């Protein structure tokens, strides 16, 4: 059963130097046509399996940048969503760029059912923002948050990044202190990953990207956890922190390894045991919709071994970890049957622990998460 819906808006007014998501420059793109096509794709899928979408918990507008759209375009998109999906969900999130927000856009989102905003802040250091290719300033951040609150948004997240080119521990400390003074209900913080087909990747390949070493990045992560804990913002996932009751329900669907639908060019989904991705180029996406076909580029029936792997490396991202009971209910066999030796070894190494019927990362394990996750990949 589908728990959530992701809708991809691939348009950006500026392409960030680190971003590898499916995106295009907004200028001269068939934006209105794309919005209508997303509505047609949703209607096509939902009409075939309406029972799958009757009790969805979340909707998430991601990108690209949804706030690249005009207020009227946002209104039309939200009308099409409401035509196909129940919008009285537990959580309805829209991503936003601080410098693209306006009172009219925020009102369009609020009136269309959006209940949660996620702002791509990344840093409170102007020089680092320029290195990242961001177009907003610190004043844009303050103004956007103030406007959002005035319009009625209470559930606001900001994304932060560390391990940035040339970033010092003091710069990261200053960004954290500034972010926490905002007293928001949710914070996400991610270390930079240099992905192929990005500006940073090209610079890195040429030896022109100076990144903090692993030791400094580990200090930044430890500072992040300590500062959040001190301010009463509890860590509930490797990269996410929230006040009680403001944890991201949509993202938890991914970490719970549950099913969700993805709509739009380049969107990914997981339905009926099949992981799929839509074609990315907008022209191909529009052509598929025009002919009445689903715009699927790739789909894969998840095997039981793959499901086990995903249950472990996704679930262990959460501070609550993976339930032994839930694992057995989903798989038909126990976690120890599949991973007994691995679990025993990682416990001895102090990277995971058993607690209240769950398997969890230790604090040491959070620093070495990827190494832990790899241990649960099966060879079969």
């Amino acid at each position: 059963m589908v728990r959530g819906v992701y809708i991809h808006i691939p348009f950006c007014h500026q392409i960030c130097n680190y971003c590898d998501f499916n995106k295009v420059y907004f200028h001269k793109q068939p934006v209105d046509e794309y919005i209508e096509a997303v509505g047609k794709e949703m209607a096509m899928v939902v009409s075939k399996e309406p029972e799958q979408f009757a009790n969805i918990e979340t909707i998430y507008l991601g990108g690209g940048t949804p706030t690249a759209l005009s207020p009227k375009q946002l209104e039309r998109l939200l009308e099409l969503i409401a035509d196909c999906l129940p919008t009285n969900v537990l959580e309805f999130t829209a991503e936003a760029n601080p410098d693209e927000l306006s009172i009219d856009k925020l009102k369009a989102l609020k009136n269309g059912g959006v209940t949660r905003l996620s702002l791509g802040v990344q840093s409170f250091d102007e020089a680092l923002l320029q290195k990242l290719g961001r177009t907003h300033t610190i004043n844009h951040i303050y103004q956007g948050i103030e406007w959002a609150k005035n319009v009625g948004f209470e559930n606001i997240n900001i994304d932060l990044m560390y391990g940035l080119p040339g970033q010092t521990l003091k710069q990261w400390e200053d960004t954290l202190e500034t972010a926490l003074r905002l007293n928001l209900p949710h914070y996400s913080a991610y270390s930079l990953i240099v992905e192929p087909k990005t500006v940073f990747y090209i610079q890195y390949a040429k030896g022109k990207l100076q990144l903090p070493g692993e030791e400094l990045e580990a200090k930044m992560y430890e500072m992040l956890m300590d500062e959040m804990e001190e301010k009463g913002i509890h860590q509930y996932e490797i990269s996410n922190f929230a006040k009680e009751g403001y944890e991201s329900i949509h993202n938890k669907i991914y970490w719970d390894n549950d099913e969700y639908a993805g709509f739009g060019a380049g969107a990914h989904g997981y339905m009926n045991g099949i992981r799929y991705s839509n074609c990315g180029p907008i022209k191909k996406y529009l052509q598929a919709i025009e002919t009445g076909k689903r715009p699927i580029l790739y789909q894969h029936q998840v095997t039981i071994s793959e499901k086990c792997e995903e249950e472990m490396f996704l679930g262990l991202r959460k501070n609550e970890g993976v339930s032994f009971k839930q694992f057995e209910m989903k798989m038909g066999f126990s976690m120890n049957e599949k991973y007994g030796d691995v679990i025993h070894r990682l416990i001895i190494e102090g990277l995971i622990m058993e607690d209240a019927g769950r398997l969890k990362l230790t604090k040491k394990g959070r620093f070495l998460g990827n190494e832990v996750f790899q241990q649960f990949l099966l060879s079969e």
Side-chain angles (χ1 to χ4, degrees), residues 10 17 21 47 58 77 89 104 108 127 138 141 198 218 246 268 289 297 303 308 310 312 334 369:
N17 293 339
F21 295 132
S47 64
T58 68
L77 174 64
V89 289
D104 287 344
I138 294 172
I141 299 168
T198 64
Y246 286 93
H268 292 248
I289 297 298
L297 174 68
T303 67
C308 289
E310 293 169 352
M312 298 306 296
S334 74

Side-chain angles (χ1 to χ4, degrees), residues 22-196:
N22 185 53
K23 75 282 181 185
V24 294
Y25 281 110
F26 186 92
H27 188 57
K28 293 185 178 180
Q29 293 293 333
V31 180
D32 294 324
E33 187 180 352
Y34 178 82
I35 292 170
E36 298 302 321
V38 170
K40 290 176 182 178
E41 184 192 2
M42 287 190 292
M44 187 189 314
V45 176
V46 174
S47 64
K48 289 181 178 178
E49 298 184 85
E51 69 286 350
Q52 286 267 37
F53 297 88
N55 298 302
I56 60 168
E57 300 171 35
T58 68
I59 300 172
Y60 194 104
L61 296 180
T65 320
T67 50
L69 305 182
S70 70
K72 286 186 178 180
Q73 288 168 336
L74 284 170
E75 287 172 0
R76 179 56 181 160
L77 174 64
L78 293 163
E79 284 175 3
L80 291 168
I81 293 171
D83 287 343
C84 298
L85 302 169
T87 54
N88 58 336
V89 289
L90 298 177
E91 178 185 277
F92 191 159
T93 300
E95 292 180 351
N97 277 345
D99 57 327
E100 292 175 351
L101 288 176
S102 67
I103 294 292
D104 287 344
K105 288 184 183 182
L106 287 162
K107 285 181 177 179
L109 291 169
K110 186 70 175 175
N111 293 338
V114 174
T115 59
R116 180 176 184 268
L117 289 179
S118 183
L119 274 63
V121 167
Q122 317 313 356
S123 178
F124 283 91
D125 185 288
E126 300 278 11
L128 286 175
L129 287 174
Q130 290 181 13
K131 282 186 181 180
L132 292 170
R134 303 293 291 176
T135 54
H136 68 266
T137 65
I138 294 172
N139 286 335
H140 284 130
I141 299 168
Y142 291 137
Q143 183 69 85
I145 291 173
E146 181 183 350
W147 283 342
K149 289 181 176 179
N150 289 341
V151 167
F153 284 102
E154 296 178 1
N155 195 351
I156 299 173
N157 167 69
I158 60 173
D159 285 347
L160 302 173
M161 295 181 72
Y162 60 96
L164 302 177
Q167 186 180 33
T168 65
L169 192 61
K170 182 65 167 64
Q171 285 175 310
W172 176 233
E173 182 180 22
D174 290 344
T175 275
L176 281 177
E177 289 179 355
T178 304
L180 287 166
R181 281 198 296 271
L182 293 169
N183 193 29
L184 298 173
H186 194 286
Y187 297 87
S188 300
Y190 305 97
S191 63
L192 173 69
I193 298 175
V194 179
E195 301 283 6

